[in-house]
Amino acid sequence: MATTDKYDRQLRLWGASGQRALGETLVVLVGSSACGTETLKNLVLPGVGSILVLDDDDDDNGESSSAETGGIDIHPSPELSPSLLKFSGESSNFFLPPNSKKIVDKLESNNDTTNGETPLSKAARASALLSELNPDVCGFYSSVPSLAAVDFTTFFQTLLANPPNNHASSSSSTKLLVISADQPPPVLLPLSHACHNLSLPLLALHSYGLLGTVRVQTPPPYHFIIESKPSHTLPDLRLSRWPPFDGLNDVLKSVGKLDEMEDSKDHSHVPFVVVLLQALEKWRGTVSAPFNPDASSRPRYPSTFAAKQDFREVVKNMAHNLNNELNFEEAVREAHLVWAEGRVSEEVQEVLDRVTEEEFFTAAADDGSAGAEVTP
């Protein structure tokens, strides 16, 4: 069972619901290449529910079953053994040690004990080492004579109807994610067709040295990838709207004039929004005075580069000690919010363009509770 302490970092990223969805997912890796095992590692560490490594193997030791009929046996990940911890210098896959039969033969030739070990398939070796990374994850593997002959539709239907369970966990995965790692078209195309027909998400990975590609196939309704925390978002503090709304006016009146504030502690704790608004009034008193004696004819906000620089200087001059007052440093840094126009995002604007005000309030009235009054 996932614990809050163990997964604290990622819980802050996608919350308890995201962690729960991850823990309810069975990830099927088709192919145990370095690209595939590294991808699966990044799902095992955050606590995916269970994993299943499916691969063909030249060393068929009775673990394979008839792929033509769709009857594929699924086995729990084997325990770690000395043969799984032997890597050759030329190995490029940290989760797939060399052929276990050769390791066992080498141990026997050196009169080392093999503890009764038998050679393991590629899927078994990869599943054993990946499962070792996180005890919360249930690991399984299945070996077939040829991936190209697998009936993926029948195989996935069986997994959905009877998810694998090692009896050590009280729960089983209810969702299915398929990952194809460096598979040729004779394997990838039937796999893609089966996932599409069964509405299963598929990730098709291909690596070429330091380059690679990731193709995402999702069932309808299609999943849109959005940036939940875009760096270009401009906070709308309503500073460009005049007069300020009532709540902000109340705050301005409660603070008083900064120039008349003698207590340095209080001066350094005034919110930077208040600093900007008071600086704006001071700046307006210094511009166009000879030409526009009437205050109403003076510009409300700086519009040119020189005027904006002058405004920032006004903010700096209002500080008692700029280096020791973080609120004034923040006011200088966020000075652009004074003249930045408050705009809705492109996504919101697209929604607003689709409906009229009358349609919106009519729909709101229809969906509202009985007796609720909706006023345009």
Side-chain angles (χ1 to χ4, degrees):
M1 179 64 183
T3 61
T4 303
D5 293 336
K6 182 175 181 178
Y7 301 111
D8 180 68
R9 279 191 173 185
Q10 59 211 46
L11 284 171
R12 297 172 186 269
L13 179 63
W14 50 59
S17 60
Q19 186 65 34
R20 190 180 307 111
L22 186 66
E24 294 174 350
T25 301
L26 165 64
V27 180
V28 179
L29 174 63
V30 182
S32 53
S33 66
C35 178
T37 55
E38 286 293 327
T39 302
L40 200 54
K41 175 204 72 174
N42 292 330
L43 293 173
V44 169
L45 290 176
V48 72
S50 52
I51 61 172
L52 170 61
V53 181
L54 174 65
D55 203 353
D56 51 18
D57 211 316
D58 295 333
D59 302 319
D60 187 5
N61 303 296
E63 296 175 346
S64 303
S65 55
S66 177
E68 290 78 9
T69 61
I72 302 177
D73 294 333
I74 298 176
H75 310 273
S77 299
E79 298 291 334
L80 285 183
S81 61
S83 63
L84 291 176
L85 303 178
K86 302 287 184 179
F87 288 85
S88 59
E90 64 273 10
S91 177
S92 61
N93 191 339
F94 294 124
F95 298 98
L96 187 63
N99 188 300
S100 58
K101 184 177 185 303
K102 296 180 181 179
I103 295 296
V104 172
D105 292 343
K106 185 176 181 181
L107 290 173
E108 292 176 344
S109 65
N110 294 337
N111 296 321
D112 292 336
T113 178
T114 62
N115 297 323
E117 295 177 17
T118 57
L120 297 174
S121 63
K122 291 187 296 184
R125 284 175 272 160
S127 176
L129 291 176
L130 286 167
S131 300
E132 185 69 14
L133 296 175
N134 192 340
D136 293 338
V137 178
C138 300
F140 304 92
Y141 73 93
S142 184
S143 296
V144 295
S146 173
L147 287 175
V150 173
D151 182 356
F152 287 109
T153 299
T154 304
F155 179 57
F156 292 145
Q157 286 176 338
T158 303
L159 287 179
L160 292 171
N162 300 294
N165 195 323
N166 62 359
H167 304 293
S169 175
S170 59
S171 61
S172 59
S173 301
T174 58
K175 301 180 178 68
L176 202 62
L177 170 65
V178 183
I179 300 177
S180 167
D182 296 305
Q183 293 303 316
V187 176
L188 182 58
L189 292 179
L191 177 62
S192 172
H193 184 70
C195 290
H196 176 76
N197 290 340
L198 296 176
S199 298
L200 298 176
L202 169 66
L203 299 180
L205 315 176
H206 286 276
S207 62
Y208 310 93
L210 297 178
L211 301 177
T213 61
V214 178
R215 300 185 66 180
V216 181
Q217 174 182 302
T218 58
Y222 300 104
H223 174 68
F224 294 97
I225 300 177
I226 62 172
E227 178 58 57
S228 59
K229 297 180 181 179
S231 58
H232 61 274
T233 299
L234 186 66
D236 186 7
L237 302 181
R238 297 296 192 269
L239 299 183
S240 60
R241 304 290 183 182
W242 195 264
F245 55 92
D246 294 340
L248 185 54
N249 268 328
D250 294 339
V251 174
L252 288 174
K253 294 176 182 178
S254 65
V255 172
K257 296 292 185 181
L258 290 174
D259 292 340
E260 301 173 0
M261 192 175 296
E262 298 180 357
D263 192 328
S264 298
K265 182 179 179 180
D266 293 340
H267 197 264
S268 62
H269 284 79
V270 175
F272 82 92
V273 175
V274 176
V275 174
L276 289 176
L277 289 176
Q278 292 199 17
L280 183 61
E281 288 303 309
K282 291 191 66 175
W283 173 82
R284 292 188 71 243
T286 62
V287 296
S288 306
F291 308 101
N292 295 309
D294 183 9
S296 62
S297 62
R298 297 172 183 171
R300 168 55 61 185
Y301 306 103
S303 58
T304 64
F305 178 78
K308 294 174 182 177
Q309 291 299 105
D310 291 340
F311 174 75
R312 288 189 171 93
E313 289 300 321
V314 172
V315 177
K316 293 178 182 179
N317 294 333
M318 291 175 62
H320 290 173
N321 188 338
L322 185 61
N323 296 327
N324 293 333
E325 295 183 304
L326 296 179
N327 57 335
F328 280 87
E329 291 183 9
E330 190 174 12
V332 174
R333 185 173 64 251
E334 305 292 345
H336 62 280
L337 297 179
V338 169
W339 55 80
E341 296 182 6
R343 300 189 184 120
V344 297
S345 64
E346 295 180 0
E347 294 82 2
V348 175
Q349 188 61 51
E350 183 179 354
V351 174
L352 295 176
D353 292 340
R354 291 180 179 179
V355 296
T356 63
E357 182 179 359
E358 181 179 356
E359 292 173 341
F360 173 80
F361 285 106
T362 300
D366 293 339
D367 294 339
S369 59
E373 182 179 354
V374 180
T375 305

